Amino acid sequence: MKAQHLMLVCLLIMFASAQLAPIKTEEEIKIDLSLEEKLEIKGSNDIKQNQIFNKLYEVDKEAYDYLKKSFKNVVHLVFEQNEEESQVKLLNSIIENVNFTKIDVIFVKSPIGLIELNKGIIVKNFDKTFRIHNFENLQSQIFDIINPKIEFLQTEDDVNKYFSQNQLNSLVLLPDNYTFRDQIIEDLETLIRNGDLKEARIDGLKGYNSNYKNFTAPTLILHKGNNKFEQYEYNLTYTDQILDFFYLESLDLVNRLDEDNYARVFGGPVQTQVHLLIKGILRQDLFNAYYWVAQNNKINDLKYHRLIFTYSTFDENPNLWSLFDFDQSTKTPQLVITETNFRKYQLQKYICQSETLNQETIQQFIDDFRNKNLTEFYKSEPIPEQIENQDIYKIVGSTFSQEVLNKGKNVLLLFWDSKNKELFDDYFKLLNEFSLIQNKEKIKIGHIDLANNEHPKITVDSVPKLMLYLAADKKAPKEYLKSSNLVIQELKAWLDYYIGDGIAYKQEKTDL
């Protein structure tokens, strides 16, 4: 049979097969896809990366647990066999209306008894779980959870009732005729949908159309409980600024530093923190003075340089105390300032030198900080005993200038952090291996622990960092960027590039 004839026969067979297959409606095809789609988890993120989550997947317990960790929302149908077809059809009609580009959600199903003992729909929304047993208005019930809208209160009584709850909640005041009303509502609903308000500890956000309490422009009101309110009156479409407002204002004016607010104090938008370190109970007169300064700072300076005020004991925050080399024997109270610099691995720190703390001395300390009249505090371990020309040097904060910056020798220096020692084993192994062949006349090897040592000339923003300080130019250290694993041959080639071929290490002898 000729090739042309063979191809023609194949085409006829394919055409006939297509004609013999029963014709299905678009809806039936979608349902079949859903019924046949079984999700297998293999420890990868393929589903999210490839955005193949706009279907109804059948899952087992392992897959279900994985998806609950991977998605903000998981809608889980638990079905009985005789109801599967109708319920899958209903859920597929809802899936068609989901905007997967905006909502982080996946829909799954499993037979009753495999994962859950009771039938129905279980919706996981962040860390909360909702159960739906009545399927009437099912789409509305699901969307109210995974795609919440701002609920608008109708009367001032409703507003007052909402604010009577002694918790952090918020109200957006929007006149009906405001030009960008719809855009503001959409942006705020995005904050809710993405869980940003949960991160900021806001319990609720509702809307109101009237000029509540004489507010005529769009305004965001945050209720902090006990009839205390904060307001945000800037452009409400700048959601980053709104989040900054929420993160900051969800804190108290003066905060007892604890596990609940630690991340917001040091990881939020305000980069400067004032800390009062005490033993036992905070004296009322000192608290009053501290509170007055915090209030004065907020009234006068919040627009350009906000400060967060905290107080704590050694037992509550030993790590904070250790940043200043303080311990339980340190005389208290102590007043200090920390400043976050995201270009540096370590905090910038200042210690108040006043013998007496009162309203005037606390305010003066803050004024001196703002005017850059304070000397920064740097930690250092004790100077270690070392011998000349040893293999690897331990560098500390007080010897950094002498050992790294001032001597006319190339320095290969590892920056690490002793709080996570095991993360740096490969780097120390590389240094030890290189130390066996180093040319000590041309290069020095060292390491410095950034958990316990600081210096104004240290500017690394993360660890580990392996840096080369060239003898000819100490101001611009070179960073070693490994390609994959730490290999001594790559390190040697890198040193050859900056110092010269074979200068930093001894050449291996070869037999002639």
Side-chain angles (χ1 to χ4, degrees):
M1 185 181 290
K2 293 183 178 180
Q4 294 93 328
H5 293 164
L6 180 60
M7 183 175 292
L8 177 61
V9 170
C10 291
L11 289 171
L12 288 172
I13 292 172
M14 291 171 61
F15 178 75
S17 299
Q19 293 299 311
L20 290 171
I23 298 174
K24 295 185 179 183
T25 65
E26 182 180 358
E27 184 178 63
E28 286 175 326
I29 292 171
K30 286 177 180 173
I31 293 172
D32 280 357
L33 282 173
S34 302
L35 289 171
E36 292 168 5
E37 193 72 51
K38 179 144 186 167
L39 181 63
E40 294 182 4
I41 300 300
K42 297 179 180 178
S44 69
N45 289 320
D46 288 345
I47 296 172
K48 275 210 155 183
Q49 290 175 355
N50 298 319
Q51 295 187 344
I52 55 172
F53 42 82
N54 57 343
K55 300 175 183 177
L56 180 60
Y57 293 92
E58 185 173 347
V59 292
D60 58 18
K61 179 124 185 8
E62 180 185 1
Y64 184 53
D65 290 341
Y66 175 86
L67 292 175
K68 285 195 295 183
K69 296 176 182 177
S70 302
F71 286 83
K72 295 175 181 176
N73 300 280
V74 178
V75 180
H76 181 199
L77 169 65
V78 184
F79 61 86
E80 289 189 281
Q81 293 295 341
N82 61 339
E83 298 176 328
E84 179 182 9
E85 184 175 353
S86 62
Q87 291 179 351
V88 165
K89 184 175 181 179
L90 175 59
L91 206 52
N92 265 290
S93 68
I94 294 172
I95 291 174
E96 291 177 356
N97 297 319
V98 176
N99 186 341
F100 286 93
T101 62
K102 287 187 175 182
I103 307 174
D104 187 52
V105 61
I106 189 167
F107 289 77
V108 301
K109 66 170 186 171
S110 69
I112 190 170
L114 180 65
I115 301 173
E116 298 285 343
L117 298 178
N118 298 312
K119 67 178 183 179
I121 287 181
I122 300 169
V123 183
K124 172 258 180 184
N125 171 250
F126 294 95
D127 55 350
K128 292 184 178 179
T129 301
F130 302 86
R131 295 181 179 270
I132 301 174
H133 299 291
N134 183 351
F135 281 23
E136 289 186 18
N137 299 316
L138 182 60
Q139 178 168 303
S140 296
Q141 293 188 71
I142 293 175
F143 275 36
D144 285 346
I145 299 171
I146 68 173
N147 188 31
K149 303 295 182 183
I150 292 179
E151 176 189 344
F152 275 79
L153 304 174
Q154 301 303 312
T155 67
E156 282 202 18
D157 287 341
D158 293 335
V159 173
N160 293 330
K161 184 178 179 180
Y162 176 60
F163 280 145
S164 67
Q165 305 170 39
N166 191 23
Q167 59 185 16
L168 280 168
N169 47 33
S170 193
L171 181 77
V172 56
L173 307 171
L174 283 172
D176 284 323
N177 60 353
Y178 183 62
T179 305
F180 302 106
R181 172 188 170 87
D182 292 343
Q183 180 64 47
I184 287 175
I185 292 174
E186 182 180 343
D187 290 341
L188 292 176
E189 287 176 346
T190 299
L191 294 182
I192 301 172
R193 185 170 58 243
N194 291 340
D196 293 321
L197 298 190
K198 297 177 186 295
E199 297 252 340
R201 305 296 200 277
I202 306 301
D203 296 309
L205 173 59
K206 298 188 183 297
Y208 191 59
N209 291 329
S210 180
N211 299 329
Y212 176 70
K213 291 189 176 180
N214 300 318
F215 286 103
T216 56
T219 306
L220 203 60
I221 302 292
L222 177 65
H223 176 237
K224 303 181 71 169
N226 300 321
N227 291 318
K228 295 180 180 177
F229 297 87
E230 301 293 342
Q231 67 187 66
Y232 179 89
E233 297 175 299
Y234 308 100
N235 190 330
L236 296 187
T237 59
Y238 293 154
T239 50
D240 286 345
Q241 292 184 12
I242 291 173
L243 280 177
D244 287 354
F245 166 77
F246 278 145
Y247 276 113
L248 177 59
E249 297 302 344
S250 61
L251 293 165
D252 293 326
L253 191 59
V254 174
N255 303 269
R256 187 165 200 128
L257 192 60
D258 54 30
E259 291 183 0
D260 181 60
N261 60 29
Y262 197 91
R264 282 179 292 156
V265 167
F266 288 102
V270 179
Q271 297 183 11
T272 308
Q273 307 85 26
V274 185
H275 308 282
L276 184 61
L277 307 181
I278 61 171
K279 291 178 183 175
I281 300 173
L282 178 58
R283 298 194 328 261
Q284 188 63 47
D285 62 324
L286 181 55
F287 177 82
N288 291 343
Y290 195 50
Y291 193 91
W292 181 91
V293 173
Q295 197 167 41
N296 182 61
N297 168 79
K298 182 171 183 179
I299 293 172
N300 296 320
D301 304 306
L302 79 162
K303 299 299 185 255
Y304 73 91
H305 197 158
R306 289 299 301 265
L307 304 176
I308 293 177
F309 289 78
T310 80
Y311 66 96
S312 63
T313 64
F314 176 83
D315 291 336
E316 290 170 322
N317 285 290
N319 289 336
L320 175 61
W321 285 54
S322 69
L323 290 176
F324 298 89
D325 282 341
F326 294 159
D327 56 28
Q328 289 173 308
S329 64
T330 301
K331 179 183 176 182
T332 59
Q334 293 282 349
L335 185 65
V336 299
I337 287 177
T338 55
E339 186 168 37
T340 305
N341 184 339
F342 295 110
R343 295 185 298 273
K344 297 181 66 174
Y345 183 70
Q346 297 158 318
L347 295 168
Q348 294 174 251
K349 300 169 296 182
Y350 307 86
I351 301 176
C352 180
Q353 302 300 324
S354 176
E355 291 290 331
T356 305
L357 291 181
N358 53 40
Q359 187 173 300
E360 290 74 23
T361 56
I362 296 172
Q363 185 62 58
Q364 185 62 54
F365 177 54
I366 292 172
D367 291 342
D368 288 341
F369 166 77
R370 285 214 173 95
N371 295 325
K372 302 187 183 303
N373 291 331
L374 297 179
T375 301
E376 192 171 343
F377 172 79
Y378 297 100
K379 283 180 63 174
S380 177
E381 291 179 283
I383 298 176
E385 292 185 8
Q386 299 184 136
I387 59 174
E388 190 68 24
N389 288 326
Q390 65 185 58
D391 291 340
I392 299 178
Y393 288 80
K394 178 179 178 179
I395 310 296
V396 298
S398 58
T399 64
F400 184 83
S401 292
Q402 177 186 355
E403 297 290 347
V404 178
L405 300 181
N406 291 344
K407 289 195 172 183
K409 185 183 290 188
N410 301 298
V411 179
L412 182 64
L413 184 63
L414 172 64
F415 294 90
W416 67 294
D417 188 326
S418 59
K419 294 194 296 293
N420 300 286
K421 291 182 180 180
E422 65 280 357
L423 299 179
F424 309 96
D425 289 345
D426 289 343
Y427 279 87
F428 277 102
K429 182 179 178 181
L430 179 68
L431 292 188
N432 286 326
E433 187 176 355
F434 181 71
S435 71
L436 299 177
I437 60 171
Q438 67 172 313
N439 182 352
K440 293 181 180 179
E441 292 182 1
K442 297 296 182 181
I443 194 167
K444 175 197 289 188
I445 305 173
H447 63 86
I448 183 168
D449 173 17
L450 294 189
N452 296 298
N453 297 281
E454 298 161 341
H455 188 277
K457 296 296 184 181
I458 295 177
T459 57
V460 298
D461 57 1
S462 62
V463 291
K465 277 272 199 303
L466 188 57
M467 309 289 285
L468 175 63
Y469 289 79
L470 292 168
D473 184 10
K474 298 284 186 171
K475 294 181 179 179
K478 313 302 178 184
E479 179 181 355
Y480 176 61
L481 300 173
K482 62 173 184 171
S483 58
S484 54
N485 296 325
L486 291 167
V487 180
I488 193 167
Q489 293 302 328
E490 290 186 4
L491 177 62
K492 288 166 64 177
W494 180 70
L495 292 171
D496 286 345
Y497 177 81
Y498 283 108
I499 301 177
D501 290 347
I503 293 178
Y505 52 89
K506 300 170 186 175
Q507 297 287 353
E508 296 179 8
K509 295 181 180 179
T510 56
D511 296 329
L512 298 176

